[in-house]
């Protein structure tokens, strides 16, 4: 039970007044937003804050570069010859090399986020990514290439866990959903660059290993930018409050949310919400990860943070992300340059579509996007499966069927981007309270890793063994996902990070304080 208000409603030990002692009409986000009469892009403090989000975004960009680069390398004769044309589990191990590194980082990443803040893990993880990229470029054999990918996975997980948390906890309240939505969309920027870099270096010559070494080295560029500039960003105010550094947190909010106005009602509102939620959470907090099993609300959160990453990776997109080469082979598109152009064109398409959809995300809401996305993907996969089956029966002589599959892949990506690219990180950071956010993000990464291991080994083996018939599995999975979203995902649109707790915990979200002013 959180401590009761004393001294006329003051929050003990903070110097802040309990806003629930004030009229609910007076205390709500819309009433405390500053009315400057200017759009955000004409307010220097908001421009600087939003531009600064590019630094944590680059963690997602590096992730996207990795997936697309491996797709491109598989379509390069130079890489295939150097590593002996790996297939099946041997190829799956290269894809899963990053996953093996992530597994080693799981115990470390949440501890770093909880005890060192959000910026240091980004710095540390990005430094390791630079080292991994150099090793990958210098690889002399299969084993060295695999080890370099493990280093990339280890550093990448540390940076990826902290990055969306920093964006979510630092963003201006009205901009948070779109800014967090952009985080995962920047995956496609890295994927796009990797696709066209591998296409360009392919023409360096059939007998030069630099055709694949250059793309491998460039994987370290974005992490290097993060290493150099991450400390130009302020620390998360929610982390600072969690560490009882209230004045530092207020300085961050005053500078970046209120443009230096020390008497801003918005800053007062945010500080009081953050302090109230964190104090209540600390008072009720159990031991470590077991807290996810302590209440019905936390178990519901646990269900969501496991379901969301499984949907992100197990909706058939894993085939496109890492094994587009095998898909294109299965429909008769076997030319190296042709595959590289399709891969590059798909990434350009994805980047444009995902940014547009993320900009509109706040209009539709999270649950509606999840539903429309899963339904659309199921329809695409059914058509894709039928076209692939007929194409095989006709011995790949009808090129229009192969073209139809490629078209369905592009339409599928629209549906995927609508619900499973931008919204997941927004949704997960919203449903998790501050004191559980690092641990919850870690659980999300563990769930994602388990599915990625499955994708890494099962997908290439199954595609080699049964071809298009494997798509039926994903049709069934997508049908199950529709039911999960419909029955298990509440709508969080229109609530602050602290207010979302009411959807899961009810009146217990803020202890024994009144909650009517939040709704």
């Amino acid at each position: 039970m959180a401590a009761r208000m004393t001294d006329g409603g003051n929050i003990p030990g903070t110097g802040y007044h309990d806003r629930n002692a004030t009229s609910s009409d007076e205390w709500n986000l819309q009433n405390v937003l500053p009315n400057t009469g200017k759009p955000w892009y004409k307010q220097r403090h908001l421009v600087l804050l939003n531009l600064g989000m590019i630094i944590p975004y680059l963690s997602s960009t590096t992730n996207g570069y990795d997936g697309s680069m491996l797709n491109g390398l598989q379509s390069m004769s130079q890489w295939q010859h150097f590593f002996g044309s790996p297939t099946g589990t041997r190829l799956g191990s290269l894809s899963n090399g990053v996953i093996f590194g992530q597994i080693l980082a799981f115990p470390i990443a949440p501890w770093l986020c909880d005890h060192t803040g959000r910026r240091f893990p980004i710095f540390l993880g990005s430094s390791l990514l630079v080292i991994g990229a150099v090793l990958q470029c210098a690889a002399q054999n299969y084993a060295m290439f695999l080890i370099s990918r493990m280093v990339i996975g280890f550093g990448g997980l540390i940076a990826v866990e902290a990055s969306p948390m920093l964006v979510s906890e630092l963003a201006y309240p009205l901009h948070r959903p779109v800014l967090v939505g952009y985080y995962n969309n920047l995956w496609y920027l890295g994927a796009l660059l990797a696709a066209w870099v591998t296409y360009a270096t392919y023409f360096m010559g059939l007998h030069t290993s630099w055709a694949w070494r250059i793309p491998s080295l460039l994987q370290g560029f974005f992490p290097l930018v993060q290493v150099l500039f991450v400390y130009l960003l302020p620390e998360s105010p929610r982390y600072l409050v969690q560490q009882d550094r209230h004045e530092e947190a207020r300085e961050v909010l005053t500078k970046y949310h209120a443009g230096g106005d020390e008497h801003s009602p918005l800053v007062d509102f945010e500080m009081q919400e953050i302090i109230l939620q964190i104090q209540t959470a600390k008072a009720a907090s159990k031991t470590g990860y077991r807290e996810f099993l302590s209440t019905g609300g936390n178990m519901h959160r646990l269900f969501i943070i496991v379901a969301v990453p499984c949907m992100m990776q197990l909706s058939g997109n894993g085939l496109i992300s890492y094994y587009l080469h095998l898909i294109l082979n299965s429909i008769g598109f076997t030319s190296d340059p042709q595959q590289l152009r399709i891969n590059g064109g798909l990434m350009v398409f994805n980047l444009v579509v995902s940014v547009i959809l993320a900009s509109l995300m706040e209009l539709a809401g999270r649950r509606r996007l999840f539903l429309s996305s899963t339904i659309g993907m199921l329809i695409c996969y059914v058509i894709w499966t039928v076209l692939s089956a007929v194409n095989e029966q006709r011995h790949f002589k009808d090129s229009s069927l192969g073209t139809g599959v490629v078209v369905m892949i592009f339409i599928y990506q629209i549906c995927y981007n609508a619900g499973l690219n931008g919204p997941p990180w927004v949704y997960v950071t919203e449903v998790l309270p501050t004191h559980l956010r690092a641990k919850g993000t870690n659980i999300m990464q563990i769930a994602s890793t388990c599915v990625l291991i499955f994708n890494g080994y099962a997908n290439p083996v199954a595609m080699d063994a049964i071809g298009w018939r494997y798509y039926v599995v994903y049709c069934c999975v997508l049908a199950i996902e529709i039911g999960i979203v419909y029955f298990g995902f509440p709508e969080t649109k229109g609530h602050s990070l602290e207010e979302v707790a009411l959807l899961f915990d009810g009146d217990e979200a803020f202890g024994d304080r009144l909650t009517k002013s939040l709704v």
Side-chain angles (χ1 to χ4, degrees):
M1 180 70 68
R4 292 182 179 275
M5 297 298 99
T6 60
D7 191 23
N10 290 331
I11 303 177
T14 68
Y16 289 96
H17 190 75
D18 180 11
R19 65 183 180 79
N20 288 298
T22 310
S23 166
S24 62
D25 291 334
E26 179 184 348
W27 278 102
N28 63 70
L29 182 60
Q30 294 300 323
N31 286 348
V32 297
L33 289 172
N35 184 16
T36 62
K38 299 178 181 178
W40 72 266
Y41 51 82
K42 291 186 178 180
Q43 300 179 58
R44 184 174 182 273
H45 62 286
L46 293 181
V47 171
L48 292 176
L49 178 61
N50 291 346
L51 287 177
M53 298 302 179
I54 293 172
I55 302 303
Y57 282 167
L58 294 180
S59 296
S60 181
T61 303
T62 301
N63 223 1
Y65 188 99
D66 180 78
S68 183
M69 183 193 71
L70 193 61
N71 249 340
L73 296 185
Q74 290 179 67
S75 296
M76 297 176 69
S77 302
Q78 300 96 322
W79 184 85
Q80 293 283 0
H81 292 159
F82 192 93
F83 291 104
S85 300
T87 59
T89 57
R90 190 171 173 85
L91 176 59
S93 294
L94 288 184
S95 298
N96 281 338
V98 169
I99 308 304
F100 300 149
Q102 290 178 349
I103 291 173
L104 296 176
F106 281 142
I108 300 171
W111 186 91
L112 286 170
C113 290
D114 282 339
H115 293 83
T116 68
R118 314 310 190 208
R119 295 180 300 178
F120 178 72
I122 296 175
F123 175 84
L124 176 63
S126 298
S127 300
L128 292 171
L129 277 163
V130 173
I131 294 171
V134 172
L135 291 174
Q136 188 174 240
C137 169
Q140 299 299 308
N141 50 50
Y142 177 91
M144 186 173 177
F145 194 83
L146 177 59
I147 290 172
S148 70
R149 293 187 60 71
M150 292 177 66
V151 175
I152 288 171
F154 186 87
L157 182 98
I158 294 174
V160 162
E161 285 219 6
S163 294
M165 293 169 62
L166 182 60
V167 175
S168 177
E169 295 173 358
L170 193 57
Y172 189 68
L174 294 185
H175 299 169
R176 176 177 49 80
V178 172
L179 288 175
V180 179
Y182 280 155
Y183 173 79
N184 216 40
N185 293 334
L186 268 291
W187 191 96
Y188 288 121
L189 175 60
L192 182 157
L193 293 172
W196 289 107
V197 165
T198 52
Y199 178 73
T201 58
Y202 170 81
F203 295 100
M204 292 179 67
L206 294 177
H207 304 292
T208 174
S209 64
W210 281 105
W212 61 265
R213 292 187 191 277
I214 289 176
S216 298
L217 180 62
L218 289 177
Q219 188 166 356
F221 173 74
F222 293 119
L224 180 60
V225 173
Q226 291 179 291
V227 169
L228 295 176
F229 296 108
V230 68
Y231 277 99
L232 295 180
L233 282 174
E235 185 54 87
S236 160
R238 287 171 173 83
Y239 165 76
L240 294 173
V241 170
Q242 195 170 19
Q243 301 299 312
D244 295 323
R245 294 156 62 182
H246 295 171
E247 290 308 312
E248 293 178 57
R250 184 178 180 86
E251 288 174 6
V252 170
L253 293 173
T254 299
K255 180 178 180 180
Y256 290 97
H257 287 191
D261 180 4
E262 296 182 358
H263 304 289
S264 167
L266 172 61
V267 174
D268 287 338
F269 179 88
E270 290 187 283
M271 284 297 296
Q272 291 170 26
E273 270 206 332
I274 294 169
I275 291 170
L276 191 60
Q277 194 272 332
I278 289 178
Q279 280 195 349
T280 302
K282 283 183 176 180
S285 182
K286 302 296 187 296
T287 303
Y289 289 92
R290 284 184 293 176
E291 187 167 352
F292 281 101
L293 303 176
S294 64
T295 67
N298 282 346
M299 285 190 283
H300 192 179
R301 290 182 175 100
L302 180 61
F303 169 78
I304 289 174
I305 62 177
V306 171
V308 166
C310 289
M311 290 168 59
M312 290 173 69
Q313 305 297 344
L314 202 57
S315 297
N317 55 301
L319 285 175
I320 301 172
S321 296
Y322 285 88
Y323 302 106
L324 183 62
H325 166 69
L326 299 180
I327 294 174
L328 296 177
N329 280 345
S330 73
I331 57 175
F333 288 23
T334 57
S335 164
D336 287 359
Q338 185 181 40
Q339 289 190 0
L340 289 166
R341 285 194 297 271
I342 292 173
N343 186 35
L346 184 62
M347 295 310 133
V348 173
F349 177 80
N350 279 331
L351 178 61
V352 173
V353 168
S354 63
V355 169
I356 293 173
L357 290 172
S359 300
L360 302 174
M361 181 170 52
E362 190 64 7
L363 297 175
R366 326 299 185 240
R367 185 173 182 273
R368 186 179 298 172
L369 285 174
F370 281 126
L371 275 176
S372 59
S373 173
T374 49
I375 292 171
M377 286 189 294
L378 176 59
I379 294 171
C380 289
Y381 244 97
V382 170
I383 298 173
W384 177 353
T385 303
V386 172
L387 291 174
S388 297
V390 175
N391 199 20
E392 182 182 82
Q393 291 174 356
R394 297 183 182 179
H395 306 289
F396 307 110
K397 293 181 179 180
D398 189 344
S399 61
S400 64
L401 292 172
T403 302
V405 171
V406 173
V407 170
M408 292 314 303
I409 291 174
F410 276 78
I411 297 175
Y412 166 89
Q413 290 296 135
I414 295 176
C415 300
Y416 180 85
N417 288 324
L420 293 183
N421 191 41
W425 279 111
V426 178
Y427 198 61
V428 168
T429 54
E430 285 177 340
V431 303
L432 290 169
T434 301
H435 74 293
L436 290 178
R437 198 162 288 137
K439 293 181 177 65
T441 303
N442 199 46
I443 292 173
M444 181 180 179
Q445 293 292 346
I446 292 172
S448 179
T449 295
C450 292
V451 179
L452 285 171
I453 291 174
F454 169 82
N455 283 342
Y457 283 116
N459 286 343
V461 173
M463 285 294 293
D464 285 342
I466 60 177
W468 65 266
R469 296 167 184 82
Y470 186 48
Y471 302 151
V472 177
V473 173
Y474 287 111
C475 292
C476 297
V477 170
L478 286 165
I480 294 172
E481 289 178 0
I482 294 171
I484 289 174
V485 172
Y486 186 82
F487 292 106
F489 284 27
E491 182 57 73
T492 59
K493 175 187 173 183
H495 298 283
S496 72
L497 287 179
E498 284 68 39
E499 291 169 354
V500 171
L502 291 172
L503 300 175
F504 293 87
D505 305 316
D507 290 349
E508 297 179 0
F510 291 88
D512 61 352
R513 299 170 177 85
L514 297 176
T515 56
K516 64 182 180 180
S517 63
L518 287 174
V519 295

